[in-house]
Amino acid sequence: MASAKLRWLYMALVVLGALCLYFSMHDLALFRGGPLIFKKDSGRFLQLPAVDCRRDPPFLVLLVTSSHEQLSARTAIRKTWGRERVVHGKRTETFFLLGTTPSEAAARAVAQEGRRHGDIIQKDFLDVYLNLTLKTMMGIEWVHHFCPQAAFVMKTDSDMFVNVSYLVELLLRKNRTARFVTGFLKMHDLPIRHKHSKWFVSRYEYPWDKYPPFCSGTAYVFSGDVASQVYNVSESIPFLKLEDVFVGLCLAKLRIGLEELHSEQTFFPGGLSFSICRFRRIVACHHVQPQKMLIYWKALEDSEGEACPAE
Ligand SMILES: *[C@@H]1O[C@H](CO)[C@@H](O)[C@H](O)[C@H]1NC(C)=O
Ligand SMILES: *[C@@H]1O[C@H](CO)[C@@H](O)[C@H](O)[C@H]1NC(C)=O
Ligand SMILES: *[C@@H]1O[C@H](CO)[C@@H](O)[C@H](O)[C@H]1NC(C)=O
Ligand SMILES: *[C@@H]1O[C@H](CO)[C@@H](O)[C@H](O)[C@H]1NC(C)=O
């Protein structure tokens, strides 16, 4: 009797031990990284923009994530907020971030577009949503290697309206030079665990229950020094396909906090209906189609000098 009980106990312990070993090895593999580690020097640049930051340091570099098929968005930006070169006496430069496409015709068209405008930064990773972090990190690497003289950098998307003039004005007013990050702050976001969401993240990709503070990827701004620091730590951060959270993880490791640019909301990741007076008081607004971009811009330019009610 007693020996049979002991045998059962012994077997249960062996099974339990094996399970513990199995799960601990799984977890170790998770943290050792394997495929989930970002390699900061991987890939090579296919296109570099025509700009010499050493000779002509920009105050603000705007990096706009874009893809091959978004030519009309790039054209609208080049005709509107991307056209700004000197604002409040400060230099601004706008560049588009692209990966590669399997379509040879599209690749040729973008190479030609880049030669013509000199405003494309491109590396040889496949341009898909899941590679967005590679795209952002390419922009950050570019600043680190080719334009560390930039006082500020904005990362934004090609369906965004940006009031560059107001952004420069607020940055000058804020008077910060280092370790500064701003945008639409997300201080307490949680990973989305429903499989069908665009932002689904599995426990394998991100085992923790909370995200660090981060800025909505639609538009965020940081002082130039932050680019080199983020680039520097990026390899020690578990890779995540959500570029804004990934940058947030880098900032947490660097102990760089997020700050508001203004006491009023100026970044609108959810979009906003247009009015001239409202758009004079925002920095960035999401969901603006190319056609609308041109219309809004013209309305703002034409009304220059006209007063708004509460000014
Ligand atoms: C991201 O780009 C790399 C390099 O081109 C490629 O190997 C990988 O398949 C891409 N990721 C996805 C999810 O397509
Ligand atoms: C900006 O900050 C510096 C110190 O960091 C200070 O000396 C300077 O007066 C400030 N300028 C403005 C316009 O507030
Ligand atoms: C990069 O990290 C190393 C050590 O981790 C540090 O010594 C160096 O100063 C960092 N460089 C920048 C630009 O932050
Ligand atoms: C941008 O903001 C400035 C300052 O508030 C305003 O005067 C201007 O009309 C706006 N322009 C555009 C194009 O958004």
Side-chain angles (χ1 to χ4, degrees):
M1 264 307 256
S3 83
K5 259 189 188 161
L6 267 179
R7 200 177 309 141
W8 274 112
L9 187 66
Y10 177 71
M11 270 165 60
L13 279 175
V14 167
V15 168
L16 197 68
L19 279 174
C20 282
L21 193 65
Y22 174 81
F23 281 115
S24 73
M25 270 167 40
H26 250 242
D27 269 354
L28 279 179
L30 192 71
F31 291 109
R32 224 186 290 117
L36 296 184
I37 281 291
F38 172 71
K39 299 300 294 171
K40 66 183 184 185
D41 292 315
S42 65
R44 61 197 172 91
F45 283 98
L46 301 175
Q47 289 199 63
L48 290 167
V51 62
D52 184 348
C53 289
R54 207 155 8 145
R55 204 172 47 191
D56 244 342
F59 176 77
L60 173 66
V61 165
L62 299 118
L63 301 173
V64 187
T65 52
S66 189
S67 60
H68 289 72
E69 65 274 18
Q70 290 170 334
L71 174 62
S72 60
R74 287 193 292 281
T75 304
I77 291 171
R78 286 184 182 117
K79 286 182 179 166
T80 57
W81 54 268
R83 199 183 63 195
E84 308 258 37
R85 285 290 175 272
V86 181
V87 184
H88 302 297
K90 301 290 181 185
R91 288 183 58 76
T92 66
E93 296 276 359
T94 299
F95 304 117
F96 297 99
L97 307 177
L98 277 90
T100 59
T101 168
S103 154
E104 280 182 31
R108 264 199 307 277
V110 154
Q112 197 177 11
E113 183 187 334
R115 278 195 297 276
R116 177 158 168 226
H117 296 281
D119 62 359
I120 289 181
I121 302 175
Q122 186 184 25
K123 241 180 151 176
D124 63 352
F125 59 86
L126 196 60
D127 205 320
V128 290
Y129 181 72
L130 288 177
N131 269 344
L132 200 52
T133 298
L134 299 185
K135 200 178 266 183
T136 293
M137 290 311 296
M138 166 179 76
I140 285 174
E141 178 183 356
W142 181 82
V143 173
H144 167 72
H145 281 311
F146 298 99
C147 205
Q149 298 83 2
F152 294 96
V153 179
M154 172 183 248
K155 183 266 156 186
T156 188
D157 287 339
S158 34
D159 58 350
M160 297 290 295
F161 179 95
V162 180
N163 186 331
V164 178
S165 166
Y166 195 42
L167 172 57
V168 169
E169 183 184 325
L170 292 178
L171 287 171
L172 288 170
R173 213 188 287 171
K174 193 83 183 178
N175 193 23
R176 291 286 307 273
T177 52
R179 292 174 69 83
F180 176 68
V181 182
T182 192
F184 182 83
L185 311 193
K186 297 187 162 225
M187 304 304 283
H188 306 285
D189 264 36
L190 310 177
I192 293 177
R193 306 292 192 191
H194 327 286
K195 280 218 163 60
H196 299 294
S197 165
K198 181 180 177 186
W199 298 283
F200 167 71
V201 166
S202 69
R203 287 195 180 274
Y204 178 73
E205 289 171 275
Y206 190 86
W208 301 281
D209 287 328
K210 278 169 56 176
Y211 283 145
F214 65 99
C215 292
S216 158
T218 50
Y220 54 91
V221 181
F222 44 94
S223 53
D225 61 305
V226 172
S228 288
Q229 294 186 51
V230 166
Y231 179 71
N232 206 11
V233 293
S234 59
E235 247 176 21
S236 62
I237 305 296
F239 182 82
L240 200 64
K241 66 195 175 203
L242 305 176
E243 60 91 16
D244 46 9
V245 180
F246 182 76
V247 170
L249 288 166
C250 294
L251 295 173
K253 176 124 185 191
L254 293 163
R255 298 179 187 282
I256 296 177
L258 312 179
E259 294 172 54
E260 296 286 359
L261 182 57
H262 194 332
S263 52
E264 292 158 17
Q265 184 178 359
T266 53
F267 292 85
F268 290 86
L272 198 60
S273 62
F274 179 78
S275 92
I276 286 169
C277 291
R278 187 177 280 158
F279 272 51
R280 285 180 181 175
R281 286 286 170 267
I282 67 163
V283 167
C285 174
H286 197 194
H287 303 304
V288 178
Q289 303 309 316
Q291 236 60 42
K292 291 275 168 60
M293 196 92 83
L294 299 167
I295 293 168
Y296 295 175
W297 194 262
K298 185 158 186 335
L300 283 158
E301 281 197 334
D302 288 351
S303 66
E304 202 86 28
E306 290 169 22
C308 283
E311 270 186 321

